[in-house]
Amino acid sequence: MSTDSDNTFTWTELDRRAVDTVRGLAMDAVEEAGSGHPGTAMSLAPAAYLLFQRVMRHDPTDPDWAGRDRFVLSAGHSSLTLYIQLYLSGYGLTLDDLKGLRKWGSLTPGHPEHGHTIGVETTTGPLGQGLGNAVGMAMAARRERGLFDPEPSFGDSPFDHYIYAIASDGDIEEGISHEVSSLAGHQKLGNLIVIYDDNQISIEDDTQIAKSEDVAARYEAYGWHVQKVDWTSEDGYKEDPEALYRALQAAKAELGRPSLISLRTIIGWPAPNLQNTGKAHGAALGAEEVAATKRVLGQNPDKTFDVPEDALEHAREVVQRGREAHAEWNKAYETWRAGNPERASEYDRISVRRLPDGWTAKLPEFEAGKAVATRAASGEILAAIGPVLPELWGGSADLAGSNNTTMKGEPSFIPEEYQTKDYPGNRYGRTLHFGIREHGMGAIMNGIALHNGTRPYGGTFLVFSDYMRPSVRLAALMKLPVTYVWTHDSIGLGEDGPTHQPVEHLWALRAIPGLDIVRPADANETAVAWRTILENPHRPAGLALTRQKVPTFDRSQFGSAEGAAKGAYVLADASNGQPDVILIATGSEVQIAVEAREVLEGEGTPTRVVSMPSVEWFEAQDEAYKQQVLPPAVRARVSVEAGVALGWRTYVGDAGESVSLEHFGASADYKTLFQQFGFTADRVVAAARASLAKVNAAGHGSTTGN
């Protein structure tokens, strides 16, 4: 989109003034807010301006243009680095929006939020996450290329573009950066370009206090193409946009490796007293320092949010260049559509996350009476729906055989030279191999989901969801359709012992707003769970699946598995239709509740079993349905789940009992563990009697409440 060719570079007085205007706006916005991060936005002003004005292909009048380059500000604390470029480039942000930085109701929150502000590709703030998202976007771009236009060389397809990211020392220090950068190098993502702002300052001032590694050498070891641009010298600090431009052009030309440009800057430049200090990183500079800096810049210190009209007009010329680039891209895109009508139709469907007609017919139905681990059922479901849902792709954090995440017959997503005997594949493959990088997997999946319509899933053991939690939380915050296949969901995994047995995890994950946790009771509930998850393109979901086999219920004798889509349903009702006690269970414990019901019914106690695979889905139902499943007047209730009881009080009430695990597990086979820790029909029966006794002691009796 640049007006410069690869061999020429122009940087005019108007460009310089526009960059200095960025610095003034950054200082003023933080002063107005009373908090924020001015220093990085000041020193990165030339780099960000260069990207938006000379390097990136983008159209401010169509921020969702599929052919655009993506920009990820991984250093989300420096949100003004992005906001001011969106303002200057004509994305619709105004000076009033910049004045509203970090304030209630503004389009400029403290950290960039996807879906809130036009032009923000992902929510960043937790350091390292944006870097992981950028890797995911680069992987998604390659996967989509393989789906829609695999034949041309890079640069000759309308689906080719670059992912640009700005990362800080904080991003580089966070452990997630190792996971995602290592995988990016292994995947040879030549469409990924990262500018590392090497300013050597963080909140605790000089980073030497905590960091001394050679970052460039580290990235070279990952297999990245690494360049250094240093604006410091013995003669002083001199910003050299042309040197950075040349480095960016070289990075674009390097198609076989991701690129890191280590850019040495001085934070807070050119503030006379606070440049190169931790104080410039995370706090307002103060009126005196702002005034002094403006004098250095040749600006009027008495004016705030001052934008020279000619500088703004010059920057806004990017709008016309973007429209021209977009029009040129449209020609190639329409040519592609004309020559590939079937692929174009698939692209139209996938890019808006519309599922194909009739796809649910491919979902398997599992034979009643046969014992099947829900992780195995999930694997069969993926194999069955894979051929009709090409947008669905994923893998595991080195646990594919345990998570059952590999679709049968599908090639791995891997450079051909790295395929193995067990996992043949190619650059456009489908099966992802994240390696033992759970946190990185989570952030990468978010980037994939953000890119343009494909649906990622990733597997590991439920206990290791702890490693993924920050990424999971951001998926919920951004409403991304990411699916987590979390297997080995309880002490039922057995001999691996307490280090691998999740106890507190289900309720800890249920505590994340916007995340659906689904723990199906049998294979057919698992099929309904997958269908329901895929039918909702606006929420992440975690499947908690068993290692051990569980019985497949005979639905002619029990409630339909379709009830799982509502989060909870009556699996087995009281023999007289009027329960005295309700047993609420999830996952592998549902069978125990069913056994307990038989005992209670044999004693003359009408008993209902409710399978509740998803608390979130149940809470989304209307009040009439919820009362139908859990009549308020039936106060004798028992929850049964092999984990802490933390949230079950909501459903069992003050007279209820919980059969739970309030301590860590142990190493033994699962049958022994369930017996020793009280996950038995006898224990559930005893809990039901205790709950009934509470109700009767209170003198309320028991009614149906229907």
Side-chain angles (χ1 to χ4, degrees):
M1 195 185 79
S2 169
T3 56
D4 302 312
S5 72
D6 287 355
N7 297 315
T8 63
F9 178 81
T10 58
W11 192 258
T12 67
E13 176 63 17
L14 278 175
D15 290 319
R16 185 195 65 77
R17 289 177 60 210
V19 167
D20 285 345
T21 297
V22 173
R23 302 187 216 270
L25 290 173
M27 290 186 290
D28 289 340
V30 175
E31 290 297 313
E32 175 73 19
S35 65
H37 298 76
T40 302
M42 294 167 67
S43 53
L44 278 181
Y49 180 85
L50 181 69
L51 281 173
F52 276 80
Q53 292 286 325
R54 296 286 196 279
V55 177
M56 289 199 308
R57 182 175 69 185
H58 64 114
D59 179 359
T61 66
D62 187 0
D64 295 325
W65 168 32
R68 72 192 183 281
D69 291 332
R70 271 60 162 181
F71 174 73
V72 175
L73 182 69
S74 193
H77 55 276
S78 185
S79 56
L80 286 165
T81 295
L82 176 54
Y83 294 151
I84 297 173
Q85 294 307 320
L86 294 177
Y87 161 67
L88 287 181
S89 299
Y91 276 81
L93 284 187
T94 66
L95 274 180
D96 285 340
D97 292 320
L98 297 181
K99 293 175 183 177
L101 178 73
R102 302 171 74 91
K103 295 179 181 177
W104 174 262
S106 77
L107 292 175
T108 51
H111 294 84
E113 296 180 22
H114 175 67
H116 182 76
T117 308
I118 290 175
V120 174
E121 299 280 6
T122 180
T123 298
T124 55
L127 290 168
Q129 285 287 336
L131 193 55
N133 298 162
V135 173
M137 290 177 186
M139 292 169 66
R142 197 169 85 193
R143 169 67 179 161
E144 291 164 25
R145 175 73 131 78
L147 283 175
F148 306 125
D149 197 25
E151 293 86 6
S153 300
F154 187 88
D156 295 332
S157 168
F159 295 97
D160 290 331
H161 55 267
Y162 291 94
I163 314 298
Y164 294 94
I166 287 180
S168 63
D169 278 308
D171 292 289
I172 296 300
E173 289 178 19
E174 286 285 0
I176 190 175
S177 72
H178 161 72
E179 296 184 25
V180 301
S181 299
S182 171
L183 188 58
H186 184 67
Q187 285 288 351
K188 300 189 174 183
L189 299 174
N191 56 347
L192 174 62
I193 299 172
V194 176
I195 296 176
Y196 159 46
D197 179 28
D198 181 20
N199 64 39
Q200 300 178 13
I201 292 292
S202 62
I203 289 176
E204 295 183 5
D205 206 77
D206 193 329
T207 56
Q208 181 174 300
I209 198 67
K211 167 179 157 289
S212 57
E213 82 258 20
D214 185 335
V215 173
R218 173 181 152 193
Y219 273 78
E220 286 174 351
Y222 291 144
W224 287 52
H225 171 231
V226 177
Q227 302 173 83
K228 291 184 179 181
V229 177
D230 192 343
W231 288 348
T232 66
S233 70
E234 294 180 357
D235 299 327
Y237 189 69
K238 181 183 178 182
E239 293 172 334
D240 187 351
E242 182 172 4
L244 180 56
Y245 177 79
R246 298 294 177 208
L248 286 163
Q249 293 300 324
K252 290 173 68 174
E254 176 54 68
L255 301 179
R257 293 177 291 172
S259 288
L260 180 85
I261 299 171
S262 179
L263 177 64
R264 179 70 174 97
T265 65
I266 290 180
I267 195 170
W269 178 264
N273 301 300
L274 293 181
Q275 63 176 270
N276 206 32
T277 67
K279 292 180 180 178
H281 173 88
L285 299 183
E288 291 186 9
E289 185 73 356
V290 170
T293 307
K294 287 183 176 180
R295 292 188 188 98
V296 172
L297 294 171
Q299 299 174 357
N300 186 339
D302 297 324
K303 289 186 176 182
T304 59
F305 296 96
D306 185 31
V307 180
E309 190 62 33
D310 56 349
L312 180 60
E313 289 180 1
H314 180 65
R316 290 279 167 88
E317 290 173 4
V318 74
V319 173
Q320 183 57 33
R321 294 196 295 273
R323 290 172 66 87
E324 291 171 358
H326 195 160
E328 188 66 26
W329 178 88
N330 279 340
K331 295 177 184 178
Y333 176 66
E334 292 302 330
T335 299
W336 168 79
R337 291 187 68 90
N340 300 273
E342 290 186 8
R343 288 177 181 172
S345 177
E346 197 77 310
Y347 170 78
D348 292 343
R349 181 186 67 76
I350 290 173
S351 62
V352 296
R353 295 200 173 105
R354 185 178 71 248
L355 297 169
D357 294 338
W359 76 274
T360 56
K362 296 295 184 180
L363 287 166
E365 291 186 18
F366 294 88
E367 180 184 349
K370 183 179 180 181
V372 181
T374 53
R375 64 165 176 166
S378 175
E380 290 188 40
I381 292 161
L382 285 172
I385 63 177
V388 294
L389 294 179
E391 63 266 44
L392 184 64
W393 61 310
S396 171
D398 198 54
L399 289 168
S402 294
N403 299 149
N404 294 86
T405 50
T406 302
M407 294 181 185
K408 294 176 182 177
E410 293 290 347
S412 292
F413 179 89
I414 192 72
E416 288 82 355
E417 56 268 39
Y418 292 147
Q419 63 184 315
T420 66
K421 179 181 178 181
D422 290 338
Y423 292 101
N426 58 72
R427 281 169 165 77
Y428 298 144
R430 187 173 192 178
T431 300
L432 289 167
H433 301 273
F434 292 101
I436 307 165
R437 304 180 178 99
E438 290 89 353
H439 195 181
M441 176 173 70
I444 287 169
M445 286 196 293
N446 288 350
I448 290 172
L450 285 162
H451 188 263
N452 200 37
T454 63
R455 300 285 295 266
Y457 65 86
T460 187
F461 292 173
L462 178 58
V463 75
F464 300 135
S465 64
D466 283 344
Y467 285 160
M468 304 175 65
R469 191 179 180 90
S471 301
V472 174
R473 182 177 185 272
L474 283 170
L477 187 62
M478 290 188 275
K479 302 179 181 179
L480 301 180
V482 174
T483 304
Y484 309 104
V485 182
W486 286 321
T487 69
H488 297 58
D489 66 340
S490 74
I491 57 171
L493 70 88
E495 293 85 350
D496 283 342
T499 64
H500 281 47
Q501 293 167 0
V503 174
E504 74 279 21
H505 296 72
L506 288 167
W507 278 110
L509 289 163
R510 288 170 181 148
I512 298 177
L515 173 67
D516 296 334
I517 297 299
V518 193
R519 190 168 184 244
D522 74 350
N524 286 311
E525 275 196 16
T526 307
V528 173
W530 262 112
R531 187 197 71 207
T532 307
I533 288 168
L534 291 173
E535 287 176 341
N536 190 339
H538 304 298
R539 289 172 72 91
L543 283 160
L545 305 174
T546 67
R547 177 195 187 191
Q548 76 274 26
K549 293 181 179 180
V550 292
T552 302
F553 293 111
D554 182 348
R555 297 296 171 167
S556 67
Q557 305 296 319
F558 292 91
S560 169
E562 285 297 318
K566 292 187 175 182
Y569 66 103
V570 178
L571 178 70
D573 207 356
S575 55
N576 63 357
Q578 298 181 331
D580 285 349
V581 63
I582 300 174
L583 310 179
I584 310 167
T586 77
S588 54
E589 289 77 77
V590 172
Q591 63 176 307
I592 299 171
V594 169
E595 293 170 13
R597 173 187 173 276
E598 293 176 2
V599 175
L600 289 164
E601 286 278 352
E603 294 176 348
T605 303
T607 303
R608 170 179 291 183
V609 173
V610 170
S611 176
M612 188 179 281
S614 176
V615 170
E616 296 80 19
W617 292 351
F618 183 63
E619 288 300 326
Q621 306 307 311
D622 60 40
E623 200 60 34
Y625 178 78
K626 288 192 281 187
Q627 291 190 19
Q628 179 184 341
V629 175
L630 299 175
V634 184
R635 297 179 59 243
R637 301 180 181 184
V638 179
S639 67
V640 191
E641 186 171 71
V644 297
L646 188 65
W648 284 116
R649 182 60 59 193
T650 300
Y651 298 100
V652 300
D654 58 357
E657 294 284 331
S658 290
V659 176
S660 64
L661 194 69
E662 304 301 324
H663 52 77
F664 295 114
S667 182
D669 68 274
Y670 79 90
K671 291 181 180 179
T672 298
L673 292 173
F674 271 54
Q675 182 70 38
Q676 291 295 322
F677 291 141
F679 289 95
T680 64
D682 288 345
R683 168 93 181 279
V684 175
V685 168
R689 292 170 181 159
S691 183
L692 284 163
K694 287 182 187 178
V695 172
N696 293 331
H700 291 285
S702 180
T703 63
T704 65
N706 288 329

